[in-house]
Amino acid sequence: MNTPSYLEDHSSQIPALMLLQKMGFTYLSPSEVDELRGSSSQVLLKSVLDERLREINTIDFRGKSYRFSNHNISSAIQKITDIPLVDGLIKTNENLYHILTLGSSFEETIEGDRKSFTLKYIDWEYPENNKYHVAEEFSVQRVGSYK
């Protein structure tokens, strides 16, 4: 008699991975994830995020388009990398949700004018401009851990 597998891989993880790939997500193997994140203490694919932020964000000012400065792209990445957990997990998740969905304001000097402009993390108008990745479980080094 065959008994069904109750291993997490068989019951939920593999079907979820397959579904997301059918929806257009690009599967990343554990080695690809490790290469893209650069360090086992990182959970974000910063190189992918950096490239996408540069690609999907322009500043339209007085009929011309400009790019955000390298400093502000780095600050935008840092903003979602270093969110403090001092307010608890729920509040921190709410804060991250608002940043990701609404974007963040950064000051730029263009043509001698210093103004704040919104940098978006997700291109809601043209979703095909976003990159969608899915990966299996991968190890993350905790702060203060050396293993």
Side-chain angles (χ1 to χ4, degrees):
M1 170 182 207
N2 286 341
T3 57
S5 171
Y6 293 104
L7 296 173
E8 183 181 5
D9 286 356
H10 296 178
S11 63
S12 62
Q13 191 175 51
I14 292 171
L17 289 169
M18 292 174 64
L19 174 64
L20 289 169
Q21 287 177 80
K22 285 181 184 177
M23 293 173 60
F25 283 63
T26 300
Y27 172 79
L28 297 177
S29 69
S31 62
E32 290 172 310
V33 170
D34 287 344
E35 183 180 322
L36 285 169
R37 67 187 176 138
S39 165
S40 62
S41 64
Q42 296 296 318
V43 295
L44 289 178
L45 307 179
K46 288 183 181 180
S47 61
V48 175
L49 181 57
D50 182 281
E51 183 262 330
R52 287 289 84 203
L53 292 179
R54 291 176 191 282
E55 184 66 30
I56 69 173
N57 284 287
T58 56
I59 299 167
D60 296 321
F61 186 72
R62 296 183 180 161
K64 295 180 185 176
S65 288
Y66 300 89
R67 295 283 177 190
F68 278 88
S69 66
N70 291 336
H71 173 75
N72 280 336
I73 295 293
S74 294
S75 294
I77 293 170
Q78 200 69 32
K79 187 168 187 167
I80 63 170
T81 304
D82 291 341
I83 294 180
L85 289 168
V86 295
D87 293 328
L89 191 57
I90 293 173
K91 185 67 175 163
T92 301
N93 280 326
E94 287 174 1
N95 291 338
L96 181 58
Y97 171 82
H98 290 297
I99 292 169
L100 292 176
T101 57
L102 302 175
S104 290
S105 182
F106 293 93
E107 286 188 353
E108 290 281 352
T109 302
I110 300 174
E111 297 179 13
D113 283 341
R114 187 153 187 85
K115 297 189 183 288
S116 289
F117 298 94
T118 300
L119 182 142
K120 58 188 175 185
Y121 290 86
I122 299 169
D123 191 339
W124 298 106
E125 191 173 352
Y126 301 101
E128 65 276 6
N129 289 337
N130 301 307
K131 293 247 178 155
Y132 303 94
H133 294 107
V134 62
E136 297 176 60
E137 299 174 16
F138 55 89
S139 297
V140 178
Q141 182 180 344
R142 293 183 303 163
V143 175
S145 170
Y146 300 103
K147 293 184 179 183

